[in-house]
Structure formats: structure tokens, C-alpha cells
Amino acid sequence: MEYDSLISLIDSIASDFLFIDGKKIDVPAAGKFFNKLEALIKEADNRKISQMKSVAAGLNSLLEKIVLNDIDDEAGFNAFEKGIILMQKIGESFKNTGGYEGDIETFAESICALTGEQRAESKEQGVRQRALADNEIQDESLLRDFIIEGLEYIDEIEVNLLDLEQEPENLDCVNAIFRPFHSIKGVAGFLNLETIRDLAHILENLLDRVRSKEISVSSRLIDIILDGTDALKALIIKLKEDLEGNSAEPLEIDLAALRKRIECVEQDVPDTVEVKKLGGILVEDGAITEENLEQGLEVAQQSIPPKKNGEALISEGKVTPKQALRKQTGQAADTAVIRVNIKKLDDLIDMVGELVITQSMIRQNSFVLSNSDRRLSRDVSRLSSITSELQKTSTRLRMVPIKQTFQRMSRLVRDLSRDAGKQVAVVMEGEDTEIDRNMVEEIYNPLVHMVRNAVDHGIDSSEERIKLGKPEKGMIRLKAFHRGGNIVIEISDDGKGLDRDLILKKAVEKKLIDSSQDLSDQDIYKLIFLPGFSTAAKVTDISGRGVGMDVVKQAVEKLRCKIEIDSAINKGSTFALSFPLTMAIIDGMIVRVGSERYILPTTAIRQLLRPVEDSYNNIVGKGETINVMGNLLPLVRLYKIFGIEPEHKNPWGAIVVVVEGENRSKCLLVDEILGEEEVVIKSLGESLKSAKGVSGGAILGDGNVGLILDPEGLFELSERLG
Amino acid sequence: MDIDKNMGIVVVDDFATMRKVIKNLLKQAGYKNITEAEDGVEALKVLKSEKVDFIISDWNMPNMNGLEFLKAVRADSKLSGLPFLMVTAEGLKENVVLAIKAGVSGYIVKPFTAAVLSEKIEQIAEKL
């Protein structure tokens, strides 16, 4: 009785076995065997029948070999049969005598022999199979898909890595990093991309060991994975370049060095690989370091940290900005997303722009206006409300959350702060705020400079921070939100703050301003954007060469953006950049000169005034000026520039618009302000692209065409004229 | 035995490129009705809404991995008989045993060729 359940299990295995045809145990049959053997092993263990247990366990591992094709089917089948017979024997013997004296060693040995020697053969088979796959699929469109998706996966990995560093215990993070590596490896195997496959494989393995807690998460480990990810990204970008035909120099990835570093982490010994190699698995590293040396100038001959590849790659990353945001694991499933070529979207939005204009022309048509048909006027107004709705919706299509850009910044902060030997945490706010995808690329460079600046100049050293009673770890906050038609991006640090007096002193020293000028705090802060300005006492490879902030200023002006700076000594600084949501629409002020209408970007306008006669001056050598609150600003007569007949020639009869260009303001003379309007920017076409003073055209609400003025260009024109 | 090349096959993988790879291979092998799903959750929806005769699923997926998906299929009385081919990577053989225990119909190791895939499908379909 005692052994009945055991024996019936064995019998059921044996009867299943009888139904197998062709001496081959297939997967579904193996499934049954596995589950029954598992039950048998448990049962044998409970009853302390060690022989039965070990035979069943032997069969279990034999079965594994069979289903994994590690051994020949027929040999496996025969051995399995022997095992079942042996188990039946043991069962009978226990039932009758309560024990078993026979030999199980021979069986165990035969299984070991079977599984041991045949492994090599099946590996060979695997290699052959792969070679076959090589030739079969070399589809270019597959490669393209792989590149796009692969790069997205890498972005995802980076983000999760940074999260993991914050929460080393979070297994979800580890999994979220493991999975993309695994997927990349899988496809790379199909596409015959060996280096990519091997690299992804190394990283995947490493993460697998993190997952099984064989290795603990340390910042060294994160570094290695980040470097590996960078290399992987470089490989994929290289693949892309190759595909596009503009192949750069061959890229060498030192997998051996990476393996070595991984070994060192595993054994928890210091890196044996050279530091320089450590910084970059990529070869291109050298050039950057040399440049640093040249730029070193007065810097004491201390060791300059080698430039990290991560950063170089991130700026390289602008070539391939993320096109669609991958949904986060948590909120998946409920939002269906399709991927659309950005070109198609741009075309659609362009066409909608045309539609809006045509619609407005119909609305302003004299026939329509004079027509008393109520139905027509109702339909026309319906048409215009639909088109304006359509325009809003289509512009929204191109909107993507700012999150991705922020995440790249947080990677940048990590690399930069390490090089600068500072501890900096990044906090993000409002990362779901949406922005035109075409703007994402445009704001990337200015943001990089601002963030660099915050790390290098903003955040103070740990010692100073402790001395001041601040937390040792610095903080950079990235915040985005909508205000009016703009998106505001704030970059704040809790560091030193801007030193008003130092900036002023420096600016006077460098003859960037006149010491007599009376400037507000805001004006003084903005001096740091002037070309050639730098208050950094020493030059590092991060910033301080006096380039950078003026790059910000230029980019920012191109985008019709405004910068506001708020700062307090030892409390930190906040740089707020306010960008238009899209480059396709502009907030403009419509002005009239004679019978012409012009549009001035609202962001450039400082003031509107009707000057009194006394404020007008004409000084020889200096030209015409208007006194605006104590400042003598040059007067620009728009009608002269455009060669038209104005209504007023005397400034005191007309209106003056104070407009800001690059670091200077001037007064534009206009006849009348007609109002403010949101206009759709139309390009003037190739032939007029280089026309100075005009940045585009727009159809105004009344159907008339107006030119959009470019203040800086106008200033240059007026200087040439005057 | 002739395999019905018109049978509905669903390919489940979170990596779109991989789905395309498998789809291409299936097309090379002559199969015509192929649907895709991003993960187990999506696939279950597909299984409820469309006529599917054969499942090819990756192991490693977010939300619901291949094994969980397999278990869900086997636990559903309407779906439990469906052939289920699991795609796995080399070096993850312990997974295969788990899948077999959970009742997978077959497994295939990446990378593979159209011929191997076709053979696997035929092997499994013949048993039905």
C-alpha cells in the first residue's frame, strides 16, 4: 500500500512512453514527463527512497538534454527507456521487500557519459545553423528598423541606469535594463551584426548576474554599463552611417578591455585597465584630451580629467533625436501608439498652414464679404472654425514630452559632475510638458551649455557647501511648464549664485561695457552671454573658455526665446528660458508704415512710446537718437530702409517701438500700431532667404500679407545705410 | 501531411524589428495570415478578437513575459489547446525547461532560419 502512489506514477510515465512513436521524445511529451518526474522525485524524497530519487533526477536531467537537443534523440530515447525500467524494478522491490539492493551506478554513469561527450557536437550544429541565418536575411529595411528601435532602447537603458544608481535595490530597474540588451542581442544575431551582438551579450550577462544578486550595484558597475551602452550606441550609429553611405572611420570597440573591467568589478579589485582606456572604450578619445592640454594655458600642470565619451556621444546623439516617446512600463497597454515618419507630419502641417491661409482669403474675399446670403456666411465661419481647430490639432501631432531631453541632461550632469569632482543630483519637474518635436533639436545645444555651466560654475565644491551649511550633494533642477503660448524651461542650481560685482568688474575689464552705464541686476547677469566673457578663474574642459554662453544667446535668439536670470549669492541661480511652443507660429505686433504692414516678434519688443520733440537728438557722428528713460537709443527709420512713403516723418508725430536685438536696443519709427496677432510663419522661399531684416512672411487676419521683421538684421541694415 | 499555410499565426515580441524578422521568415515559408502583438497582454486581446491557430512568442517581454503568457493561454479553457512555440535565446536553457513544464508545444532558439522555423511549426501542427 505504502508504495502504490509511487508505483502508479512510474506506470503512468511508462505508459506515456509506450505511445511515443519514432524514438523521439517531443516537447509536449517531455512536458508531461517533466511534471510527473517532479512529482516522483518529491514522493521518493518524502519516503526517503534515495535510489529512486537519484534515478528520477537522472532521468530529469537526461530529459533536459533531450529537449535541448544536446544529445542524439535515439540515444536519449534508449537511455530514458532503461531509466523507466530501472525505476519499475526499484518500485517493485520496495513494494515486496521494503528496500532495493540492486545497482543504480551503471545507469548513472551511462547518463553522465551520454550527456558529457555529446555536447560539443551540438554546439557545432548551432554554429552551422547561425551561418545559414547569416546569408538568409540581410534586408536593409530591417537594418533601418533595428537602428531606430535599437537607439530608442539605448535611451531607455540610460534612463533606467540612472534610476538604478539612485535605487540600487530596485529589481524592476535591473530588468528594464536587461531586457533591451537582450532584445538587441537577439536581433543583432539575426542581422549578422557580430560586434553588436557580442557587446550586448556581455552586458546582458553582466546584468543577469546583477539580477541574481551575484554582483551588487555600484557606481563602478554603472560606469561600465554606461560605457558599454555608449559603445553600443556608437556601433549602431556607425551602422546607420554606413547604411547612409557616409561612412566615417572604422570604429574599434575594445571588447576585451570591457570584459577585463567587468572581471575586475566581479572580483572587486581595482581596474587593471589603463585609466584612459577606461574613460573611453572608443578610440576617438585622444583628440579631445589633446585639445584640453592646448587650452590648459595658465592652468597648473595638474592632471586634466580625460573627457568622457558619454558626453561626446550625447552631443552626437542630436543627430538621431528620439522620434516617439516609448511608453513607460506602468502606463502601457491603454495608449495605442503608431510611428509616423516625421517628414509626413511636417508635410501635413505645412498643408494645413496653406489651408488656413486659403480659408482666410476666402473669408476676406470682397464677394463673400458683400454677399448677404446667410447660409454662405454661416458656412464660411464654420469653415474657419474647423480650419483653426485642424491647425491646433495638427500642430499638437508634432508635440512630444520634454522628458527625453531632460533625461539626456541628467546623463550629462552625471558625467560632468564626475569629471568636475562634484556631487550633483538632478531633479526634474514637469517633464511631461509637451513641445514641438522640431524645437527639441533646437533647444538641445543651448540646454547643454546651460547645464554645463550650472555644473561647472554654479554648483560649489563639497567643502564649500559643508562650510556654508548646505547639503554636501549639489542639486540641479530642471523644470518645464507652459506659460501663455510659450514653454518655459528653468535650470536651477543651489550653488554659488552669480556674483554681480565680479561680473561687472570683468565686463568693464574686457571693455564689453562702459563703467558709467547704469545697469539693473538682470542686465548685469545677462552680460555673461556676451561673446568672450568668462569669470571662471580656471579653464577646465567643461566650460570657462568664454565660449558657450554666447552660443546659448545666439541659439536662443534664433528661436525667439527670452532668458531670465534670477540669482542670489550662495543660494544658487535660476535660468529661465521661455521658448515658443512651435517655430510655426509667432506672436507678433502688427505695425503700419505708410500703406505697408509689418510684423514685429513680440518677444523682441521692449517698449512703445510716442516721443516728445525734446527727446530727439541728431548728433554728428552718432546719428539720430531718441532719449528713452535716460538712454540715448539710435533711431531707425523703417520707411527709409524699405523705401516707402510714410505718413509721418517726424518722430514726435509717429510712434517709436523700442526693439531689442543682440545685446543692443534701437528705436524703430512706425506710423501706427495695428494690434497683436498670432500669425503663421511662411517662408519667403529660397531666393529671398538671405534677405536681411526680414525673417518671413505671414498672412494677416484681414487677408493682407505682412513681412515679419528681424530686429538684428534691421539694425545691421540701418548701420550700413547711416 | 500538408500544413494549412492560411492558418492564423500571432507573433508576440516587444521588439518590433524582431517581429518583422519572424514575419519575414514566416512569409518565406509561405504563411500568409500573420498578426503581431507587443506582449502577452496584447496577445491575449488578439486571441480573443481574432482567429488564431498558432502562437509564436518571445520569452523576454515587459508587462507579461512569454512564460506568464503561456500559462495564461493554458489556463484558459477556450485557448488551452492552441499550439505555442516559444522563441528563446541561447544560454537561457533553464527557461526552456520551465516552458516545457508549463505545456509549451515547442521552442526555437534565436537566431534561426526560415527552414528551421517552418520545420518546427510543421512538427507541432502535425501532432494536432
Side-chain angles (χ1 to χ4, degrees), chain A residues 355-397:
Chain A
L355 181 67
V356 171
I357 291 163
T358 318
Q359 171 270 132
S360 124
M361 274 147 75
I362 293 175
R363 209 159 39 112
Q364 309 286 337
N365 183 298
S366 56
F367 173 75
V368 175
L369 285 178
S370 61
N371 199 297
S372 56
D373 187 332
R374 284 178 61 192
R375 195 150 161 202
L376 178 67
S377 64
R378 199 188 60 211
D379 289 350
V380 167
S381 76
R382 201 170 137 70
L383 175 68
S384 59
S385 73
I386 291 173
T387 22
S388 99
E389 206 42 53
L390 180 65
Q391 186 184 17
K392 267 189 220 145
T393 320
S394 64
T395 323
R396 258 209 326 261
L397 284 181

Side-chain angles (χ1 to χ4, degrees), chain A residues 162-183:
Chain A
L162 298 179
D163 286 351
L164 181 65
E165 197 173 29
Q166 301 301 315
E167 307 170 63
E169 296 298 315
N170 192 337
L171 266 183
D172 285 344
C173 275
V174 181
N175 274 325
I177 303 164
F178 173 84
R179 209 181 320 107
F181 279 134
H182 179 80
S183 300

Side-chain angles (χ1 to χ4, degrees), chain A residues 134 137-139 142-143 146 186-193, chain B residues 17 21:
Chain A
D134 285 353
I137 326 155
Q138 267 301 359
D139 188 338
L142 275 182
L143 271 180
F146 172 68
V187 177
F190 274 103
L191 298 175
N192 192 21
L193 306 166
Chain B
T17 316
V21 167

Side-chain angles (χ1 to χ4, degrees), chain A residues 37-314:
Chain A
L37 282 172
E38 198 173 42
L40 190 59
I41 292 169
K42 221 184 198 171
E43 195 76 24
D45 198 34
N46 282 343
R47 291 170 205 280
K48 310 252 179 298
I49 312 177
S50 64
Q51 295 101 320
M52 181 72 87
K53 192 185 161 194
S54 65
V55 174
L59 279 181
N60 198 68
S61 57
L62 175 69
L63 197 56
E64 283 181 17
K65 300 290 180 225
I66 294 172
V67 294
L68 295 172
N69 292 326
D70 276 351
I71 56 172
D72 176 64
D73 279 337
E74 198 172 326
F77 179 87
N78 291 335
F80 201 81
E81 186 171 28
K82 279 191 196 126
I84 295 176
I85 294 169
L86 183 59
M87 286 199 302
Q88 283 175 322
K89 237 194 243 169
I90 300 172
E92 281 300 304
S93 163
F94 264 90
K95 191 178 175 189
N96 299 331
T97 68
Y100 175 71
E101 300 301 323
D103 159 57
I104 60 162
E105 291 305 315
T106 337
F107 172 74
E109 275 165 28
S110 72
I111 286 188
C112 283
L114 247 180
T115 50
E117 49 175 50
Q118 301 241 354
R119 220 173 274 158
E121 201 181 299
S122 76
K123 254 199 186 138
E124 235 171 71
Q125 205 187 338
V127 173
R128 236 179 294 136
Q129 226 182 60
R130 200 176 311 141
L132 257 173
D134 285 353
N135 299 327
E136 207 159 332
I137 326 155
Q138 267 301 359
D139 188 338
E140 214 182 279
S141 82
L142 275 182
L143 271 180
R144 284 185 202 285
D145 288 353
F146 172 68
I147 291 165
I148 294 174
E149 211 173 0
L151 289 174
E152 276 175 20
Y153 269 49
I154 284 172
D155 285 343
E156 219 170 86
I157 290 171
E158 281 185 357
V159 174
N160 284 312
L161 267 173
L162 298 179
D163 286 351
L164 181 65
E165 197 173 29
Q166 301 301 315
E167 307 170 63
E169 296 298 315
N170 192 337
L171 266 183
D172 285 344
C173 275
V174 181
N175 274 325
I177 303 164
F178 173 84
R179 209 181 320 107
F181 279 134
H182 179 80
S183 300
I184 289 174
K185 185 191 84 174
V187 177
F190 274 103
L191 298 175
N192 192 21
L193 306 166
E194 274 177 25
T195 324
I196 294 181
R197 189 198 60 209
D198 292 348
L199 182 54
H201 181 69
I202 293 174
L203 295 167
E204 181 199 352
N205 271 349
L206 183 61
L207 277 156
D208 196 32
R209 286 204 292 275
V210 175
R211 203 156 63 158
S212 55
K213 308 233 173 218
E214 278 173 55
I215 306 178
S216 57
V217 177
S218 62
S219 67
R220 244 174 96 196
L221 181 87
I222 304 265
D223 271 348
I224 292 181
I225 303 174
L226 275 175
D227 284 345
T229 312
D230 286 344
L232 200 59
K233 188 166 178 177
L235 281 170
I236 298 180
I237 289 173
K238 173 80 172 61
L239 187 67
K240 187 180 166 200
E241 284 167 357
D242 286 347
L243 213 60
E244 285 163 354
N246 43 14
S247 166
E249 293 127 56
L251 190 62
E252 276 174 46
I253 305 284
D254 194 348
L255 287 184
L258 186 68
R259 280 206 186 91
K260 193 100 189 220
R261 286 176 64 195
I262 293 175
E263 254 170 50
C264 291
V265 170
E266 280 169 14
Q267 290 152 12
D268 204 21
V269 293
D271 283 317
T272 50
V273 189
E274 271 176 77
V275 180
K276 201 175 150 204
K277 242 182 193 163
L278 201 151
I281 311 159
L282 298 175
V283 185
E284 54 180 77
D285 207 12
I288 308 162
T289 329
E290 255 172 49
E291 194 193 279
N292 284 340
L293 283 170
E294 273 173 41
Q295 301 262 4
L297 295 172
E298 68 256 46
V299 187
Q301 276 308 321
Q302 53 199 356
S303 72
I304 295 164
K307 184 147 176 150
K308 286 219 77 158
N309 275 313
E311 197 196 320
L313 274 170
I314 284 188

Side-chain angles (χ1 to χ4, degrees), chain A residues 587-636:
Chain A
D587 252 336
M589 180 166 282
I590 324 284
V591 298
R592 184 176 63 83
V593 181
S595 57
E596 295 294 325
R597 274 130 217 256
Y598 298 99
I599 300 147
L600 277 164
T602 315
T603 48
I605 298 175
R606 290 282 297 271
Q607 221 174 334
L608 302 174
L609 55 110
R610 199 183 279 280
V612 290
E613 207 172 332
D614 285 352
S615 66
Y616 172 79
N617 275 302
N618 193 354
I619 305 158
V620 181
K622 264 200 158 180
E624 295 177 299
T625 57
I626 301 278
N627 184 339
V628 181
M629 289 154 69
N631 291 324
L632 293 183
L633 300 178
L635 178 71
V636 178

